């Protein structure tokens, strides 16, 4: 049987793309005809930008996680309520062989 893990696969593809882009940018900066000081400044700037983006993405991930956790907790609570209602609606059962 095939599993549907599209979310996990999509996350892996995005991570690979981001890592490839960062690596490509670093190689391009190192190979560019610039002074060492200028190259270090550019690398530091790019590192700060990448860190900012990573913090933003991590924050978005936390927000998504919290929303999903709330949705799951609400679903569990509704399930418990439905179970209690269904259980309360049933007539009490007597064991077989005992008089009513």
């Amino acid at each position: 049987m095939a599993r549907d893990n599209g979310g996990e696969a999509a996350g892996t593809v995005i991570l690979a793309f981001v890592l490839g882009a960062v690596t490509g940018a670093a190689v391009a900066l190192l190979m560019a005809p610039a002074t060492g000081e200028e190259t270090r400044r550019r690398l530091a700037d790019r590192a700060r930008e990448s860190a900012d983006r990573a913090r933003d993405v991590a924050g978005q991930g936390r927000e998504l996680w919290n929303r999903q956790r709330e949705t799951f907790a609400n679903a569990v609570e509704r399930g418990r309520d439905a179970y209690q209602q269904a259980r309360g609606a049933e007539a009490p059962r007597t064991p077989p062989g005992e008089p009513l």
Side-chain angles (χ1 to χ4, degrees):
M1 281 197 265
R3 285 187 181 170
D4 182 21
N5 61 357
E8 184 178 318
T12 303
V13 169
I14 291 171
L15 180 63
F17 178 78
V18 169
L19 288 175
V22 169
T23 303
V27 169
L29 284 172
L30 291 173
M31 300 303 286
T35 64
E37 184 178 330
E38 187 178 340
T39 301
R40 284 189 296 276
R41 183 180 50 77
R42 285 183 185 175
L43 284 173
D45 290 343
R46 296 291 170 116
R48 277 190 291 275
E49 290 172 9
S50 295
D52 290 343
R53 277 190 234 132
R55 274 191 287 276
D56 291 344
V57 169
Q60 291 172 356
R62 278 190 293 275
E63 289 174 13
L64 176 63
W65 173 259
N66 289 334
R67 282 194 309 262
Q68 294 299 326
R69 190 177 61 201
E70 284 181 29
T71 300
F72 180 73
N74 289 336
V76 168
E77 187 63 31
R78 286 193 310 263
R80 283 184 185 145
D81 291 345
Y83 173 75
Q84 291 300 327
Q85 284 180 342
R87 189 172 177 198
E90 292 179 8
R93 296 184 181 174
T94 58
E98 290 189 17
L100 296 176

